DNA sequence: CTTTTTGCAAACCCTTTGCAAGACA
DNA sequence: TGTCTTGCAAAGGGTTTGCAAAAAG
């Protein structure tokens, strides 16, 4: 079952790589649709799912709200802005197997992996907050 | 706007504390409904939301699937079983402010917190897997 | 008496799925 | 040809919301 090289797959993969930062499936869909109006939303969702299942791209699952996709497939952490919802990379060293082993010992589970995700306020929204305060005060 | 002490609130809070391990809102609803059939599902969802917003209880947001609630409100980590979906505590030392500061430096965000969550296979499902293998082989 | 909370149903968001038609290998 | 993929629309899971009635303070 090797994946077929369909036109749509190439377009979607391409759009993801062209889009700046961790778009949602819907954002990819909108971008794709701008140039290829006939592509369906389900195709975008399915293709992004396949690409991430194959390890071609990354999927950042967001607590509340839509998943974001990452054209970089290697393992790294992410932050999400509480104000605007944008997602960015956090390039800090990975925690490594040590935490997984500690978690296994503490829980009795066989640990397969972990997710570390940060919540915060992005630079742009920090600026916006300052302006809000200034105009409110 | 202090929360009002409604009968329902007490019942729901109580049900959560009585239920063994990190139930979902729906599981709380089913438990509550068994004894108080007139309580609506929306009330359970709203009340759990209020309780967790107030810090009375914890909310474990699960990537894919329903959130789980935790009668313990202090900060700690969780594992989720990939096979059966159950959620358990992982009592290992918290990562502390160090990672948050590193993430802030690496991303430019003001970091408000992080979520560390493990994926694995719970003890019961490990046993089940062994039985599967034995009967398949 | 004022304001929050309830119960119900409908709405909501994001994602997946059934199906027939079309594209790939 | 045989099978995977597409496009559409509809369904799905989980949670929230609008509303009038009931309850709390």
């Amino acid at each position: 079952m090797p994946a077929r090289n369909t036109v749509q797959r190439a377009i979607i993969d391409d759009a993801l790589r062209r889009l700046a930062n961790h778009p949602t499936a819907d954002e990819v869909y909108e971008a794709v649709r701008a140039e290829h109006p006939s592509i369906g939303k389900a195709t975008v969702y399915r293709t992004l799912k396949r690409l991430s299942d194959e390890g071609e791209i990354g999927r950042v699952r967001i607590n509340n709200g839509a998943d974001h996709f990452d054209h970089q497939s290697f393992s790294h952490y992410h932050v999400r802005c509480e104000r605007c919802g944008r997602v960015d990379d956090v390039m800090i060293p990975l925690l490594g197997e040590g935490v997984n082993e500690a978690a296994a010992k503490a829980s009795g589970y066989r640990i397969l992996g972990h997710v570390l995700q940060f919540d915060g306020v992005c630079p742009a929204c920090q600026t916006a907050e300052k302006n809000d305060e200034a105009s409110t005060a």
Side-chain angles (χ1 to χ4, degrees), chain A residues 13-116:
Chain A
D13 195 23
D14 226 67
L16 176 62
R17 285 168 211 290
R18 203 179 350 265
L19 283 171
N21 243 315
H22 306 89
T24 61
D26 226 73
E27 287 166 349
V28 174
Y29 171 57
E30 289 303 334
V32 161
R33 193 162 67 143
E35 301 202 351
H36 307 272
S38 66
I39 292 184
K41 178 178 284 198
T43 300
V44 173
Y45 274 84
R46 273 187 293 228
T47 303
L48 289 172
K49 183 183 198 318
R50 278 172 204 152
L51 288 169
S52 63
D53 286 350
E54 293 165 13
E56 288 293 308
I57 66 176
R59 181 173 196 151
V60 186
R61 297 186 186 274
I62 293 297
N63 287 335
N64 237 353
D67 290 358
H68 291 239
F69 291 86
D70 191 338
H71 64 96
Q72 296 184 299
S73 60
F74 66 86
S75 180
H76 59 281
Y77 301 128
H78 294 96
V79 219
R80 174 165 185 270
C81 179
E82 274 200 351
R83 273 180 61 119
C84 69
R86 73 173 283 151
V87 169
D88 280 288
D89 295 323
V90 177
M91 293 310 194
I92 59 175
L94 300 183
L95 294 180
E97 272 306 304
V99 252
N100 290 348
E101 284 161 20
K105 194 166 292 182
S107 65
Y109 275 56
R110 177 155 54 82
I111 300 294
L112 301 169
H114 65 255
V115 174
L116 174 60

Side-chain angles (χ1 to χ4, degrees), chain A residues 47 83 125-126 128 135:
Chain A
T47 303
R83 273 180 61 119
C125 286
Q126 288 178 45
S135 61

